Amino acid sequence: MSDRSTVMLELAILGVLKEQELHGYELKKRLTDALGAFSSVSFGSLYPALARLEAAGAVRAVTPAVPEPPAPAVPMTGSIAGEAAAFRARRAATRPARPSRTRKVYAITERGEALFDELLVTDSASADDDRAFNLKLAFCRYLPPDRRLGLFEQRRALLVERLAKARTTRSRKGRDLYTQSLVDHGAETTERDISWLDRLIAIERQGGETL
């Protein structure tokens, strides 16, 4: 995994744990459900990232409380055989259970909160990388308003440049129908993304009202 992918994964983990303590399976599921950019994250990359964050003091393992099951109520029977059976049932109910293997649950620490804020604010290349931008957008509510607006404006400028390049090559001769259709689709998608960013920028300039 590249350094940039590592940073993105660690940012995603911290952002999800910022909302809720989770064990590895739940964390992977949340990354898959909430972050399309990390839909292909594997346990082989997730657990080493968690280990790095834990070693850095950014996350910690917590043990969830497991309530003890109540002992079953055994009615009195009035007979010697029945009382003996009731005694054996009560004894079995109070016998210590074999310890079960508990899943490791992860929680973000104060150091993790600070690292999350640092990564969210200082990753200057986010607007140039589609996956990084989508990831930051998922946690945009944690960005200061000026940083949020700057991210949107930087992304818009990139897309405007991308659209201009696409238009210069949009009608090149020699393309088959399918290749040309793909080029047209890319340009149309970029146009829609610019319009979407225009709405987000307008909202931020009006004080960050919700959509």
Side-chain angles (χ1 to χ4, degrees), residues 137-149:
L137 187 63
F139 301 121
C140 235
R141 61 192 178 280
Y142 298 118
L143 278 172
D146 59 328
R147 294 279 188 171
R148 197 161 50 227
L149 179 60

Side-chain angles (χ1 to χ4, degrees), residues 156-187:
R156 186 187 187 282
L158 170 74
L159 293 183
V160 167
E161 181 180 351
R162 185 183 295 178
L163 181 61
K165 290 179 180 178
R167 283 173 173 167
T168 60
T169 61
R170 195 167 184 174
S171 300
R172 283 187 177 176
K173 296 180 179 180
R175 288 196 183 117
D176 60 57
L177 171 65
Y178 309 106
T179 303
Q180 184 63 47
S181 177
L182 183 62
V183 171
D184 292 342
H185 173 70

